Amino acid sequence: MESVAVSKKRALVTGGSRGIGRAISRRLAADGFHVIINYRSNRAEAEATEKLILDAGGHCELYPFDVSDRAAASDALADIVKDQPLDLLVLCAGIRSDELLVFMSEAQWDSVLSTNLASFFSVVKPAVTHMMLNRSGRIVVISSTSGESGVAGQVNYAAAKAGLIGAVKSLARESAKRGVLVNAITPGFIETDMTENVPPELIKGVPLARIGKPEEVAGVVSFLAGPDSSYITGQVIGVNGGVYM
Ligand code: NDP
């Protein structure tokens, strides 16, 4: 894809076209970033996000690739950092495919692990290499409460999301001296396509007694991308209404 020459700070949001990622893309554009919005295949939703940002006077571009395809992700990242600095990476793309482990197929295990966890290697490695050379950058990884508490039926998803937390903490230690801050956010139940079938009784069990809004996650990303979080790295910030403490 042709990269657009921009003077603004640049942010890449994987899975930035729908749900939580859309709210993050919109918030970062409102904060003044040029947002590179990644998605996998749903172009209509991505274009809707692009329009929302452009109509609000923000700057963005669409950049589809499959984060679970190592070659595609590596080509995309090489292209994204080739001429201009990348200041912020938000690793948000994710899927779930819930099943009790005894019934889980190999495909369910592999797809969830490759999209949610292996993408850390494909996407974060080239981005952090670039940022460490620039001695500046922020990385925010969207994990999940599931990776902290465990959830029956989500052995694959919880394993991936817990893996991300370990990866974030280790990379934060590796990159701090080079000026790159790496943090994770663990959302609880957030109202998106991914949670449309969550039973109401589960939401009643949340101390704040409601489902969260994607914008409530985006606000924390904005904080972790901004000047007020300059002494925060290797942290895991729950945005979960108190469902896990
Ligand atoms: P949605 O299903 O609403 O959106 C998923 C986004 O990820 C879309 O932009 C989708 O693109 C993209 N995506 C999926 N697979 C790939 C892929 N292989 N390559 C590139 N992009 C991909 O999800 P949510 O907004 O609900 O979730 C966003 C993140 O937050 C995920 O990591 C999820 O695990 C995490 N999370 C969500 C919670 C919730 O309650 N909603 C709770 C805790 C964590 P496309 O439209 O093209 O498919």
Short mmCIF file of all heavy atoms in Angstrom, two decimals, residues 15-21 38-42 65-68 92-95 115-116 142-144 157 161 187-190 192-195, ligand 1:
data_model
loop_
_atom_site.label_atom_id
_atom_site.label_comp_id
_atom_site.label_asym_id
_atom_site.label_seq_id
_atom_site.Cartn_x
_atom_site.Cartn_y
_atom_site.Cartn_z
N GLY A 15 -6.63 -4.50 14.11
CA GLY A 15 -8.04 -4.69 14.45
C GLY A 15 -8.69 -3.36 14.81
O GLY A 15 -9.55 -3.27 15.68
N GLY A 16 -8.29 -2.32 14.08
CA GLY A 16 -8.74 -0.97 14.42
C GLY A 16 -10.04 -0.55 13.76
O GLY A 16 -10.45 0.60 13.85
N SER A 17 -10.71 -1.49 13.11
CA SER A 17 -11.85 -1.11 12.27
C SER A 17 -13.21 -1.31 12.92
O SER A 17 -14.20 -0.72 12.48
CB SER A 17 -11.83 -1.95 10.99
OG SER A 17 -11.96 -3.32 11.32
N ARG A 18 -13.28 -2.14 13.93
CA ARG A 18 -14.58 -2.46 14.56
C ARG A 18 -14.40 -2.47 16.07
O ARG A 18 -13.29 -2.61 16.57
CB ARG A 18 -15.04 -3.86 14.15
CG ARG A 18 -15.67 -3.97 12.82
CD ARG A 18 -16.42 -5.28 12.66
NE ARG A 18 -15.56 -6.44 12.51
CZ ARG A 18 -15.67 -7.55 13.26
NH1 ARG A 18 -16.56 -7.65 14.22
NH2 ARG A 18 -14.85 -8.58 13.06
N GLY A 19 -15.53 -2.42 16.80
CA GLY A 19 -15.53 -2.66 18.23
C GLY A 19 -14.56 -1.77 18.99
O GLY A 19 -14.51 -0.56 18.81
N ILE A 20 -13.79 -2.40 19.87
CA ILE A 20 -12.84 -1.66 20.71
C ILE A 20 -11.81 -0.94 19.83
O ILE A 20 -11.46 0.21 20.08
CB ILE A 20 -12.14 -2.62 21.70
CG1 ILE A 20 -13.17 -3.18 22.70
CG2 ILE A 20 -11.00 -1.93 22.42
CD1 ILE A 20 -12.64 -4.29 23.60
N GLY A 21 -11.34 -1.62 18.79
CA GLY A 21 -10.34 -1.03 17.90
C GLY A 21 -10.85 0.23 17.22
O GLY A 21 -10.11 1.20 17.05
N ASN A 38 -5.62 -1.11 10.79
CA ASN A 38 -5.53 -2.47 10.22
C ASN A 38 -6.83 -3.23 10.48
O ASN A 38 -7.52 -3.00 11.47
CB ASN A 38 -4.34 -3.20 10.88
CG ASN A 38 -4.49 -4.71 10.76
OD1 ASN A 38 -4.88 -5.39 11.72
ND2 ASN A 38 -4.21 -5.25 9.60
N TYR A 39 -7.16 -4.12 9.57
CA TYR A 39 -8.27 -5.05 9.76
C TYR A 39 -7.95 -6.27 8.88
O TYR A 39 -6.95 -6.26 8.14
CB TYR A 39 -9.62 -4.41 9.38
CG TYR A 39 -9.72 -4.01 7.93
CD1 TYR A 39 -10.41 -4.80 7.02
CD2 TYR A 39 -9.09 -2.86 7.46
CE1 TYR A 39 -10.48 -4.44 5.67
CE2 TYR A 39 -9.15 -2.50 6.12
CZ TYR A 39 -9.85 -3.29 5.24
OH TYR A 39 -9.90 -2.94 3.91
N ARG A 40 -8.80 -7.29 8.95
CA ARG A 40 -8.51 -8.49 8.17
C ARG A 40 -9.27 -8.50 6.86
O ARG A 40 -8.68 -8.51 5.78
CB ARG A 40 -8.82 -9.75 8.98
CG ARG A 40 -8.55 -11.05 8.25
CD ARG A 40 -8.93 -12.24 9.10
NE ARG A 40 -10.20 -11.97 9.78
CZ ARG A 40 -10.73 -12.73 10.71
NH1 ARG A 40 -10.10 -13.80 11.11
NH2 ARG A 40 -11.89 -12.42 11.25
N SER A 41 -10.63 -8.42 6.91
CA SER A 41 -11.39 -8.63 5.68
C SER A 41 -12.66 -7.79 5.56
O SER A 41 -13.19 -7.66 4.47
CB SER A 41 -11.78 -10.11 5.58
OG SER A 41 -12.51 -10.48 6.73
N ASN A 42 -13.17 -7.24 6.65
CA ASN A 42 -14.45 -6.54 6.58
C ASN A 42 -14.23 -5.08 6.18
O ASN A 42 -14.16 -4.18 7.02
CB ASN A 42 -15.15 -6.64 7.95
CG ASN A 42 -16.60 -6.20 7.86
OD1 ASN A 42 -16.97 -5.41 7.00
ND2 ASN A 42 -17.41 -6.68 8.78
N PHE A 65 -4.33 -6.33 6.60
CA PHE A 65 -3.52 -7.54 6.50
C PHE A 65 -3.93 -8.47 7.63
O PHE A 65 -4.54 -8.03 8.61
CB PHE A 65 -2.01 -7.25 6.54
CG PHE A 65 -1.48 -6.61 7.79
CD1 PHE A 65 -1.06 -7.37 8.87
CD2 PHE A 65 -1.41 -5.23 7.89
CE1 PHE A 65 -0.56 -6.77 10.03
CE2 PHE A 65 -0.91 -4.62 9.05
CZ PHE A 65 -0.49 -5.39 10.11
N ASP A 66 -3.61 -9.74 7.48
CA ASP A 66 -3.99 -10.74 8.47
C ASP A 66 -2.85 -10.88 9.48
O ASP A 66 -1.76 -11.32 9.11
CB ASP A 66 -4.26 -12.08 7.74
CG ASP A 66 -4.71 -13.18 8.68
OD1 ASP A 66 -4.55 -13.05 9.91
OD2 ASP A 66 -5.22 -14.19 8.16
N VAL A 67 -3.10 -10.50 10.73
CA VAL A 67 -2.02 -10.53 11.73
C VAL A 67 -1.53 -11.95 12.01
O VAL A 67 -0.44 -12.13 12.57
CB VAL A 67 -2.42 -9.84 13.07
CG1 VAL A 67 -2.71 -8.37 12.88
CG2 VAL A 67 -3.57 -10.56 13.75
N SER A 68 -2.34 -12.95 11.64
CA SER A 68 -1.90 -14.33 11.88
C SER A 68 -1.07 -14.89 10.73
O SER A 68 -0.59 -16.02 10.80
CB SER A 68 -3.12 -15.24 12.13
OG SER A 68 -3.85 -15.41 10.93
N CYS A 92 -4.49 -4.87 18.91
CA CYS A 92 -5.88 -5.05 19.35
C CYS A 92 -6.59 -6.18 18.62
O CYS A 92 -7.55 -6.74 19.14
CB CYS A 92 -6.62 -3.72 19.17
SG CYS A 92 -8.33 -3.75 19.71
N ALA A 93 -6.13 -6.54 17.43
CA ALA A 93 -6.83 -7.57 16.65
C ALA A 93 -6.95 -8.86 17.46
O ALA A 93 -5.97 -9.32 18.06
CB ALA A 93 -6.09 -7.85 15.35
N GLY A 94 -8.14 -9.42 17.50
CA GLY A 94 -8.30 -10.65 18.26
C GLY A 94 -9.58 -11.37 17.86
O GLY A 94 -10.51 -10.75 17.33
N ILE A 95 -9.60 -12.65 18.12
CA ILE A 95 -10.80 -13.46 17.89
C ILE A 95 -10.99 -14.37 19.09
O ILE A 95 -10.06 -14.59 19.87
CB ILE A 95 -10.70 -14.34 16.63
CG1 ILE A 95 -9.47 -15.26 16.69
CG2 ILE A 95 -10.68 -13.49 15.37
CD1 ILE A 95 -9.49 -16.38 15.66
N THR A 115 -3.86 -15.84 16.00
CA THR A 115 -4.35 -14.46 15.85
C THR A 115 -4.02 -13.63 17.09
O THR A 115 -3.57 -12.49 16.98
CB THR A 115 -5.88 -14.45 15.62
OG1 THR A 115 -6.16 -15.24 14.46
CG2 THR A 115 -6.40 -13.04 15.42
N ASN A 116 -4.26 -14.18 18.27
CA ASN A 116 -4.13 -13.38 19.49
C ASN A 116 -2.72 -13.34 20.06
O ASN A 116 -2.36 -12.34 20.68
CB ASN A 116 -5.08 -13.91 20.58
CG ASN A 116 -6.55 -13.77 20.18
OD1 ASN A 116 -6.94 -12.81 19.56
ND2 ASN A 116 -7.35 -14.75 20.54
N ILE A 142 -3.80 -5.17 23.82
CA ILE A 142 -5.11 -5.46 24.39
C ILE A 142 -5.18 -6.95 24.72
O ILE A 142 -5.31 -7.80 23.83
CB ILE A 142 -6.25 -5.05 23.42
CG1 ILE A 142 -6.08 -3.59 22.96
CG2 ILE A 142 -7.60 -5.26 24.11
CD1 ILE A 142 -6.11 -2.53 24.05
N SER A 143 -5.05 -7.24 26.00
CA SER A 143 -5.19 -8.62 26.50
C SER A 143 -6.64 -8.81 26.92
O SER A 143 -7.55 -8.31 26.25
CB SER A 143 -4.18 -8.82 27.65
OG SER A 143 -4.38 -10.05 28.28
N SER A 144 -6.89 -9.47 28.03
CA SER A 144 -8.28 -9.69 28.48
C SER A 144 -8.30 -10.15 29.94
O SER A 144 -7.37 -10.84 30.39
CB SER A 144 -8.93 -10.77 27.62
OG SER A 144 -10.16 -11.18 28.19
N TYR A 157 -8.30 -19.05 24.37
CA TYR A 157 -8.29 -17.57 24.43
C TYR A 157 -7.53 -17.10 25.68
O TYR A 157 -6.71 -16.18 25.61
CB TYR A 157 -9.74 -17.10 24.45
CG TYR A 157 -9.98 -15.61 24.41
CD1 TYR A 157 -9.86 -14.90 23.22
CD2 TYR A 157 -10.35 -14.93 25.56
CE1 TYR A 157 -10.11 -13.53 23.19
CE2 TYR A 157 -10.61 -13.57 25.54
CZ TYR A 157 -10.49 -12.86 24.35
OH TYR A 157 -10.74 -11.52 24.32
N LYS A 161 -4.22 -14.80 25.85
CA LYS A 161 -4.25 -13.49 26.51
C LYS A 161 -3.30 -13.43 27.71
O LYS A 161 -2.71 -12.39 27.99
CB LYS A 161 -5.68 -13.15 26.93
CG LYS A 161 -6.64 -12.94 25.75
CD LYS A 161 -6.19 -11.80 24.85
CE LYS A 161 -7.24 -11.39 23.84
NZ LYS A 161 -6.82 -10.28 22.97
N PRO A 187 -9.38 -5.69 29.22
CA PRO A 187 -10.81 -5.36 29.31
C PRO A 187 -11.60 -6.55 29.86
O PRO A 187 -11.25 -7.72 29.66
CB PRO A 187 -11.21 -5.10 27.84
CG PRO A 187 -9.92 -4.96 27.09
CD PRO A 187 -8.92 -5.79 27.83
N GLY A 188 -12.70 -6.22 30.53
CA GLY A 188 -13.67 -7.24 30.93
C GLY A 188 -14.73 -7.35 29.84
O GLY A 188 -14.39 -7.42 28.65
N PHE A 189 -16.01 -7.34 30.22
CA PHE A 189 -17.07 -7.40 29.20
C PHE A 189 -17.25 -6.03 28.58
O PHE A 189 -17.65 -5.08 29.26
CB PHE A 189 -18.41 -7.84 29.82
CG PHE A 189 -18.37 -9.21 30.42
CD1 PHE A 189 -18.46 -9.39 31.79
CD2 PHE A 189 -18.26 -10.33 29.62
CE1 PHE A 189 -18.44 -10.66 32.35
CE2 PHE A 189 -18.23 -11.61 30.17
CZ PHE A 189 -18.31 -11.76 31.54
N ILE A 190 -17.00 -5.91 27.29
CA ILE A 190 -17.13 -4.65 26.57
C ILE A 190 -18.11 -4.88 25.42
O ILE A 190 -18.03 -5.92 24.73
CB ILE A 190 -15.76 -4.16 26.02
CG1 ILE A 190 -14.69 -4.10 27.12
CG2 ILE A 190 -15.91 -2.82 25.31
CD1 ILE A 190 -14.91 -3.07 28.22
N THR A 192 -19.34 -5.15 22.15
CA THR A 192 -18.91 -5.22 20.75
C THR A 192 -19.54 -6.46 20.13
O THR A 192 -20.22 -7.24 20.81
CB THR A 192 -17.37 -5.38 20.64
OG1 THR A 192 -17.01 -6.69 21.10
CG2 THR A 192 -16.61 -4.33 21.42
N ASP A 193 -19.25 -6.69 18.84
CA ASP A 193 -19.74 -7.91 18.17
C ASP A 193 -19.30 -9.16 18.93
O ASP A 193 -20.01 -10.16 18.98
CB ASP A 193 -19.19 -8.01 16.74
CG ASP A 193 -19.71 -6.89 15.85
OD1 ASP A 193 -20.70 -6.23 16.25
OD2 ASP A 193 -19.11 -6.66 14.77
N MET A 194 -18.09 -9.08 19.54
CA MET A 194 -17.53 -10.27 20.20
C MET A 194 -18.34 -10.70 21.41
O MET A 194 -18.33 -11.86 21.81
CB MET A 194 -16.08 -9.96 20.64
CG MET A 194 -15.29 -11.17 21.01
SD MET A 194 -13.62 -10.76 21.53
CE MET A 194 -12.69 -10.91 20.02
N THR A 195 -19.07 -9.77 22.02
CA THR A 195 -19.80 -10.08 23.26
C THR A 195 -21.31 -10.08 23.07
O THR A 195 -22.06 -10.02 24.04
CB THR A 195 -19.43 -9.07 24.37
OG1 THR A 195 -19.50 -7.75 23.82
CG2 THR A 195 -18.06 -9.32 24.93
P1 NDP B 1 -14.45 -7.33 17.31
O1 NDP B 1 -14.79 -8.73 16.91
O2 NDP B 1 -15.53 -6.33 17.48
O3 NDP B 1 -13.37 -6.72 16.26
C1 NDP B 1 -12.25 -7.49 15.94
C2 NDP B 1 -11.30 -6.66 15.11
O4 NDP B 1 -10.10 -7.43 14.92
C3 NDP B 1 -11.81 -6.32 13.73
O5 NDP B 1 -11.24 -5.10 13.33
C4 NDP B 1 -11.26 -7.47 12.90
O6 NDP B 1 -11.16 -7.20 11.49
C5 NDP B 1 -9.90 -7.60 13.52
N1 NDP B 1 -9.26 -8.90 13.28
C6 NDP B 1 -9.70 -10.13 13.67
N2 NDP B 1 -8.84 -11.07 13.25
C7 NDP B 1 -7.86 -10.42 12.56
C8 NDP B 1 -6.70 -10.84 11.86
N3 NDP B 1 -6.36 -12.14 11.78
N4 NDP B 1 -5.93 -9.89 11.27
C9 NDP B 1 -6.26 -8.58 11.34
N5 NDP B 1 -7.34 -8.13 11.99
C10 NDP B 1 -8.14 -9.04 12.57
O7 NDP B 1 -13.59 -7.49 18.64
P2 NDP B 1 -13.54 -6.57 19.96
O8 NDP B 1 -13.49 -5.16 19.57
O9 NDP B 1 -14.57 -7.06 20.89
O10 NDP B 1 -12.13 -7.02 20.56
C11 NDP B 1 -10.94 -6.29 20.29
C12 NDP B 1 -9.84 -6.84 21.15
O11 NDP B 1 -10.21 -6.72 22.53
C13 NDP B 1 -9.57 -8.34 20.92
O12 NDP B 1 -8.18 -8.59 21.05
C14 NDP B 1 -10.33 -9.00 22.05
O13 NDP B 1 -9.79 -10.24 22.37
C15 NDP B 1 -10.13 -7.98 23.16
N6 NDP B 1 -11.12 -8.07 24.22
C16 NDP B 1 -12.46 -7.85 23.95
C17 NDP B 1 -13.37 -7.90 24.98
C18 NDP B 1 -14.82 -7.65 24.76
O14 NDP B 1 -15.59 -7.81 25.74
N7 NDP B 1 -15.28 -7.25 23.60
C19 NDP B 1 -12.95 -8.23 26.35
C20 NDP B 1 -11.54 -8.44 26.50
C21 NDP B 1 -10.67 -8.34 25.47
P3 NDP B 1 -12.35 -7.70 10.47
O15 NDP B 1 -13.52 -6.81 10.76
O16 NDP B 1 -11.79 -7.51 9.11
O17 NDP B 1 -12.62 -9.13 10.84
#
